[in-house]
Amino acid sequence: MQIDFAALDARKAYFWLASTVVPRPVAWVSTISRDGIPNLAPFSFFQMVTAAPPTLMISPVVPRGGALKDTTRNIQETGEFVINLVPFPMVDKMNDTSFGFAPDVSEIDQCKVAMLPSERVAPRRVAGVAASFECRVASIMPYPEASPSCHIILGEVVFGHVDETILDARGQVDPLRLDLVSRMGADWYGRTATDVNFELKRPEGWDARGNKS
């Protein structure tokens, strides 16, 4: 099967990309508006960018009509946000917060999500998650520039919180203990905790020209 993406509308392009570029980690993003209204929303267009400086990326889409998502607007107004990683036991709470509440309604209050104070930023972090990363905005880029369908938001991580129960005896993250939720296509989700995970070491014994030593 061959697909000419230039001939597809946005909905069909989304279907093929979101159904095949999987699994995608879920960023549960907590923000606060300029008026002090807290917001919490999940995004699966999310990834690590670099470790120098430590930077994460989220890409909230622009809804039909062109209005900004609350998360995007809050980050533009305050320059701060927290990315919380979603453990499987909290998947229903995460899903509840994906509902399109009005801007003056806090998902945190409406969905009864327990929160904790952050150390370096104003938005609070979600209690009970595997890890939370406090971020300050590095850049916000509308894309495409002429008629944006999303905003690519880079956030520099300034502080982190990790649940020590996800660490093994060496102090490293154990994927089976981590048990994060990941996004698949349509209504499907995945979990990092699975017995089909495997380790694969990088290749050794080759020189720069590809010759085996």
Side-chain angles (χ1 to χ4, degrees):
M1 180 179 185
Q2 295 180 318
I3 303 171
D4 181 0
F5 273 82
L8 297 183
D9 62 24
R11 180 179 293 274
K12 290 183 179 178
Y14 176 90
F15 166 79
W16 286 112
L17 292 176
S19 298
T20 56
V21 183
V22 295
R24 299 187 306 278
V26 177
W28 208 5
V29 183
S30 47
T31 60
I32 189 168
S33 74
R34 185 166 44 200
D35 297 327
I37 301 172
N39 180 272
L40 183 62
F43 298 91
S44 68
F45 289 4
F46 158 54
Q47 195 49 263
M48 173 184 172
V49 176
T50 181
T55 305
L56 299 175
M57 180 277 293
I58 60 171
S59 179
V61 301
V62 175
R64 293 179 181 177
L68 296 180
K69 282 187 172 291
D70 295 342
T71 297
T72 304
R73 186 184 62 255
N74 291 351
I75 293 173
Q76 286 182 338
E77 291 177 352
T78 68
E80 297 180 338
F81 59 104
V82 181
I83 291 179
N84 306 275
L85 302 183
V86 186
F88 178 70
M90 299 186 73
V91 66
D92 288 333
K93 287 282 188 185
M94 178 275 294
N95 192 42
D96 288 344
T97 63
S98 69
F99 184 80
F101 294 103
D104 60 347
V105 175
S106 168
E107 291 84 357
I108 294 169
D109 297 335
Q110 193 73 21
C111 302
K112 297 179 172 54
V113 181
M115 306 294 287
L116 292 170
S118 295
E119 292 290 328
R120 305 282 174 81
V121 299
R124 292 175 293 166
R125 58 192 175 95
V126 177
V129 299
S132 296
F133 300 105
E134 301 179 21
C135 301
R136 291 200 179 101
V137 171
S139 69
I140 301 178
M141 182 180 74
Y143 181 81
E145 185 175 0
S147 181
S149 62
C150 69
H151 286 80
I152 299 173
I153 300 174
L154 301 185
E156 183 174 343
V157 179
V158 296
F159 206 85
H161 307 264
V162 176
D163 184 348
E164 293 184 2
T165 63
I166 70 172
L167 305 180
D168 61 21
R170 300 170 296 173
Q172 298 181 355
V173 175
D174 183 340
L176 294 179
R177 299 181 187 183
L178 190 59
D179 197 11
L180 293 183
V181 171
S182 62
R183 193 74 167 88
M184 308 290 280
D187 291 334
W188 284 89
Y189 283 80
R191 296 171 65 176
T192 58
T194 169
D195 57 7
V196 299
N197 284 339
F198 60 93
E199 292 183 291
L200 185 65
K201 296 187 180 300
R202 291 181 179 272
E204 297 178 352
W206 301 81
D207 65 19
R209 294 184 177 274
N211 298 314
K212 191 76 171 178
S213 60

